Amino acid sequence: MEAFTRLDSVAVPLPRPNIDTDQIIPGRFLSRPREVDHSAFLFHDARRLPGTEEPNPDFPLNQEAYRPARIIVAGRNFACGSSRESAVWALFDAGFRCAIAPSFGDIFRNNGMKNGLLPVVLPAEAVAALIAQIEAAPGARVTVDLVALTVTFPDGTVHGFEVDPFARHCLLEGLDEIGLTLSLEDQIAAFERRFGRENSR
Amino acid sequence: MSAQKPRTLFDKIWDAHVVETLPDGTALLYIDLHLTHEVTTPQAFDGLRAAGRKVRRPDATLAVIDHNIATDASRYTGIVDPESRLQVETLEKNVAEFGVPFIPLLDDRQGIVHVIGPELGRSLPGMTIVCGDSHTSTHGAMGALAFGIGTSEVEHVLATQTLLQKPAKNMQVLVEGNLALGCSGKDITLAIIGKIGTAGGTGHVIEYAGDTIRALDMAGRMTVSNMAIEGGARAGLIAPDQTTFDYIARTPQGPKGEALARAIEWWKTLPTDAGAHFDKVVKLAAHEIAPQVTWGTSPEDVLPVNGVVPDPEAQEDEARRAQFRRKVEYMGLQPGQKLQDLPVDVVFIGSCTNSRIEDIRMAASIARGRKVADNVRAMVVPGSGLVKKQAEAEGLDRILQEAGFEWREAGCSMCLGMNPDKLKPGQRSASTSNRNFEGRQGPGGRTHLVSPATAAASAIAGHLADVRDYQPKEAV
């Protein structure tokens, strides 16, 4: 996994709540192998005018000022719904390394942490303020620091956030969790012997 | 023992499966059953191969094909779409290489992963069950802790039979009283989502309790728990009871005889203790639940079938007004329009939410002696080959086909727009599936989520219909 420590980048606003993973990558692209660049599938339908291949000029990801964005700032319950990890792959392949929202779909949040895409939860008022700032000055930069656990807004205000310490450690170091778990082989094997006896299965 | 703090069903299953607790409270949780399918596993097997790792417990793993296959007769002559074919062939190659038990496409037991787990007797009370699919919450109806995971986690479970997890919070949804005429598990679960919202259960496991839930059969319970994820919760749970035990006793692969008796003794210790703490409690009165229909593009946009399309301009703030305008526009609706006046182009009865024999019996009871309206394409897609066989043994396929419904092969079908069963742009469906997101059933498709009974009544009416006007006719 690619490690994440600190990111200073343009941020793109997607202020709607409940953006589901079917919007992030529609179901018909789920048969593609991981080797395929998934960036072309990111918000595939939302980026186009209905029923056409024409880009929708109103969709922020299509706007020039936001093109370098590596941070996405969204409304509450971002990436809810389907467990498809390809939602993270599509964001990652398009250059995104961080998403900021008042809340996330639980499965997406885990998937992000395991793929070098940091989900940052900030209070709804702080996210609304951040969206207002980046909409007022498209192309404004935001800094996310996983060491200090802070987000610095374009206006210079600093906002703390929380991440589970173990998941943070893995992401800071870019660690392979499976390797870590396999180092607990003795405990897993002991559990298997004990559990069978206790629960008479 | 007497000094022990009262625990919830979730607490008990969780505690029993913790292998190790890390300093920050993250647990290494043992997984009893890992269900897999063709869509979310290819990269996981690739990862194992690249690292030279094996599947630790093939005997606790089961693979099946369900998401991207056609549900017409074309499956017997080979998958047409090259990408779907590659994904299916990849799974076949991976299960052979890693020794994972596999149900082939043309096997009677093939079906939607969340239908076959309980049906075969593999999903049992007290288990931890995972699958790379968010509707794994379905198996919580068995009294198992079951949740969806991503592909990285699939690889982790294949390699280690464990997952790194933080404990969830406990939420209880209490439904009490008699269910009204025409209502079923689907109406209950939609009404709950309408009440708590699609993020109401985020970070929680929802235990569904109360006499209304206890009175449901297993299919109804699975429908309720299936949509826990639409309420934001990764897992739903329903305490195992005699209904559960009787269901398991009839399954082909569940424990039998002495083993079943021993298991039941343990399962009876699982229900939530009196006085156990829930972080959140929500109550619903069953008699207040009418047949439910979604009108918008989120499962929380739900109303009684006799409701009207909300007016975006009447919403309390500009953000909400903008959201509602977008929903109403996408769905092709007029504020104030009666939901029952909306003509439907497609009726889909199927998906992991509503494709079990009980769902098909319900649809057939309404279809019997009636005809699907001329403007409607109506399809019934059984959840598994075994459900299909059972329905055919009961003659339900004939009743449905005589009424004008298509009778199809088992699979996920029109739930998710990744196989040939899709809505065309602008088409409106009454669907027994679980998500009405924009484009979910095909780009530009407009989905109204309903129960199997409401779906069948809508197929006959040609528009969204109140099932209470379409009660079963006596058999002739």
Side-chain angles (χ1 to χ4, degrees):
Chain A
M1 177 173 68
E2 183 182 297
F4 183 110
T5 46
R6 188 173 181 278
L7 175 65
D8 174 76
S9 162
V10 171
V12 60
L14 283 182
R16 281 192 300 132
N18 295 322
I19 294 174
D20 55 75
T21 53
D22 275 78
Q23 306 308 304
I24 298 175
I25 179 167
R28 61 189 185 281
F29 302 117
L30 302 192
S31 306
R32 310 298 165 98
R34 179 67 189 100
E35 302 81 74
V36 172
D37 177 2
H38 277 57
S39 64
F41 312 137
L42 179 65
F43 290 109
H44 183 279
D45 296 348
R47 291 179 85 139
R48 289 164 173 76
L49 292 168
T52 75
E53 283 300 311
E54 291 298 303
N56 176 358
D58 293 337
F59 195 70
L61 263 66
N62 290 337
Q63 294 165 7
E64 199 53 43
Y66 297 125
R67 254 178 235 289
R70 307 187 76 195
I71 300 170
I72 202 158
V73 187
R76 71 179 159 80
N77 205 21
F78 180 65
C80 58
S82 162
S83 64
R84 55 191 71 176
E85 199 154 315
S86 45
V88 173
W89 301 337
L91 285 163
F92 191 91
D93 289 357
F96 289 98
R97 295 294 180 271
C98 176
I100 301 174
S103 59
F104 289 89
D106 283 337
I107 305 177
F108 176 87
R109 207 172 163 183
N110 280 356
N111 289 343
M113 290 301 288
K114 291 175 200 307
N115 283 276
L117 184 108
L118 173 67
V120 172
V121 175
L122 290 181
E125 311 77 62
V127 173
L130 176 57
I131 287 172
Q133 289 178 33
I134 58 184
E135 282 183 340
R141 300 185 81 84
V142 173
T143 303
V144 179
D145 189 331
L146 184 58
V147 179
L149 292 172
T150 56
V151 181
T152 309
F153 287 10
D155 70 356
T157 53
V158 178
H159 302 256
F161 66 94
E162 288 178 15
V163 180
D164 289 333
F166 175 72
R168 171 171 173 257
H169 169 71
C170 291
L171 190 50
L172 282 171
E173 304 290 332
L175 291 178
D176 168 17
E177 273 187 7
I178 298 177
L180 285 177
T181 300
L182 286 173
S183 70
L184 298 170
E185 168 59 31
D186 289 352
Q187 287 91 322
I188 298 172
F191 177 89
E192 283 173 335
R193 289 191 296 273
R194 185 177 80 230
F195 189 62
R197 272 203 314 277
E198 280 176 6
N199 295 314
S200 56
R201 294 130 63 83
Chain B
M1 282 300 281
S2 57
Q4 195 171 38
K5 207 173 117 193
R7 293 185 299 166
T8 64
L9 171 56
F10 166 74
D11 297 337
K12 293 181 192 182
I13 302 176
W14 178 273
D15 292 350
H17 288 83
V18 173
V19 174
E20 190 79 16
T21 306
L22 306 181
D24 76 338
T26 302
L28 187 66
L29 197 68
Y30 197 79
I31 302 302
D32 294 319
L33 177 64
H34 186 190
L35 299 166
T36 61
H37 60 83
E38 76 279 14
V39 179
T40 54
T41 52
Q43 300 79 12
F45 282 111
D46 284 348
L48 292 185
R49 203 175 286 115
R53 290 170 178 147
K54 292 190 294 214
V55 174
R56 183 185 172 88
R57 291 267 321 264
D59 61 308
T61 313
L62 178 65
V64 70
I65 293 160
D66 58 2
H67 277 64
N68 68 18
I69 40 160
T71 59
D72 61 14
S74 72
R75 71 172 54 189
Y76 296 101
T77 51
I79 299 167
V80 181
D81 179 66
E83 275 156 5
S84 294
R85 190 169 62 233
L86 176 64
Q87 214 170 45
V88 169
E89 286 169 359
T90 302
L91 181 64
E92 289 169 348
K93 185 171 66 73
N94 283 330
V95 295
E97 180 181 339
F98 289 91
V100 171
F102 173 59
I103 299 174
L105 182 57
L106 300 183
D107 191 300
D108 270 349
R109 297 165 302 160
Q110 180 270 338
I112 306 173
V113 65
H114 309 310
V115 173
I116 68 167
E119 173 180 87
L120 294 176
R122 294 298 302 272
S123 307
L124 298 172
M127 278 186 161
T128 47
I129 302 174
V130 294
C131 173
D133 189 287
S134 59
H135 289 108
T136 308
S137 56
T138 312
H139 308 260
M142 304 297 301
L145 174 59
F147 50 89
I149 56 178
T151 297
S152 297
E153 292 176 312
V154 168
E155 185 182 341
H156 194 279
V157 178
L158 287 173
T160 70
Q161 206 55 37
T162 65
L163 260 186
L164 289 156
Q165 290 286 304
K166 289 286 271 205
K169 289 185 209 152
N170 281 289
M171 174 167 176
Q172 186 186 47
V173 174
L174 263 177
V175 191
E176 302 275 9
N178 292 328
L179 207 48
L181 180 72
C183 290
S184 64
K186 185 60 163 286
D187 303 293
I188 298 176
T189 205
L190 285 171
I192 292 168
I193 296 160
K195 183 159 177 141
I196 68 175
T198 52
T202 302
H204 293 75
V205 164
I206 298 177
E207 181 177 343
Y208 299 95
D211 57 15
T212 317
I213 302 293
R214 283 198 299 278
L216 292 173
D217 58 24
M218 291 311 293
R221 294 181 186 187
M222 287 184 224
T223 301
V224 170
S225 198
N226 171 273
M227 290 188 73
I229 183 71
E230 273 65 54
R234 275 179 92 175
L237 274 169
I238 296 174
D241 60 9
Q242 198 57 46
T243 304
T244 324
F245 309 149
D246 292 346
Y247 175 93
I248 292 165
R250 293 191 300 270
T251 59
Q253 296 179 26
K256 304 277 175 231
E258 186 56 29
L260 178 61
R262 272 202 317 274
I264 288 175
E265 263 181 61
W266 177 51
W267 296 340
K268 283 183 171 170
T269 68
L270 292 173
T272 295
D273 299 329
H277 173 74
F278 285 95
D279 301 278
K280 215 171 182 178
V281 178
V282 173
K283 294 181 182 177
L284 277 86
H287 74 271
E288 290 175 5
I289 300 173
Q292 303 281 302
V293 181
T294 64
W295 61 269
T297 54
S298 166
E300 71 187 20
D301 302 333
V302 67
L303 286 169
V305 65
N306 49 3
V308 300
V309 176
D311 181 1
E313 305 317 314
Q315 303 308 309
E316 64 268 21
D317 61 67
E318 181 47 34
R320 205 169 151 86
R321 285 193 285 277
Q323 282 163 38
F324 271 52
R325 278 183 215 120
R326 182 188 169 107
K327 289 172 192 277
V328 164
E329 190 195 335
Y330 180 85
M331 293 296 290
L333 303 172
Q334 298 299 324
Q337 198 172 17
K338 281 187 183 162
L339 291 171
Q340 282 184 75
D341 288 347
L342 292 170
V344 294
D345 305 299
V346 174
V347 167
F348 169 56
I349 298 175
S351 87
C352 59
T353 315
N354 280 126
S355 63
R356 297 177 182 83
I357 189 66
E358 293 83 351
D359 300 315
I360 294 172
R361 283 183 193 135
M362 174 58 73
S365 75
I366 288 163
R368 183 200 298 271
R370 296 189 171 109
K371 291 284 177 200
V372 170
D374 290 340
N375 59 310
V376 175
R377 176 193 179 195
M379 52 200 289
V380 181
V381 185
S384 72
L386 293 177
V387 169
K388 182 166 187 260
K389 250 174 112 171
Q390 177 66 30
E392 289 171 354
E394 296 177 20
L396 305 179
D397 58 322
R398 285 198 312 279
I399 294 169
L400 289 161
Q401 285 176 297
E402 278 165 19
F405 287 84
E406 296 172 27
W407 178 245
R408 301 179 70 94
E409 303 289 335
C412 295
S413 187
M414 205 183 267
C415 176
L416 82 167
M418 78 167 298
N419 58 60
D421 302 339
K422 287 188 186 107
L423 290 182
K424 297 189 183 81
Q427 277 191 328
R428 186 179 301 286
S429 76
S431 175
T432 67
S433 54
N434 40 57
R435 289 185 174 136
N436 53 347
F437 299 154
E438 286 183 19
R440 169 77 177 184
Q441 293 189 293
R446 294 161 171 168
T447 304
H448 297 274
L449 301 176
V450 294
S451 71
T454 298
S458 302
I460 286 150
H463 53 81
L464 291 178
D466 189 334
V467 64
R468 292 167 292 197
D469 301 334
Y470 291 83
Q471 283 308 295
K473 293 183 178 176
E474 290 302 313
V476 252

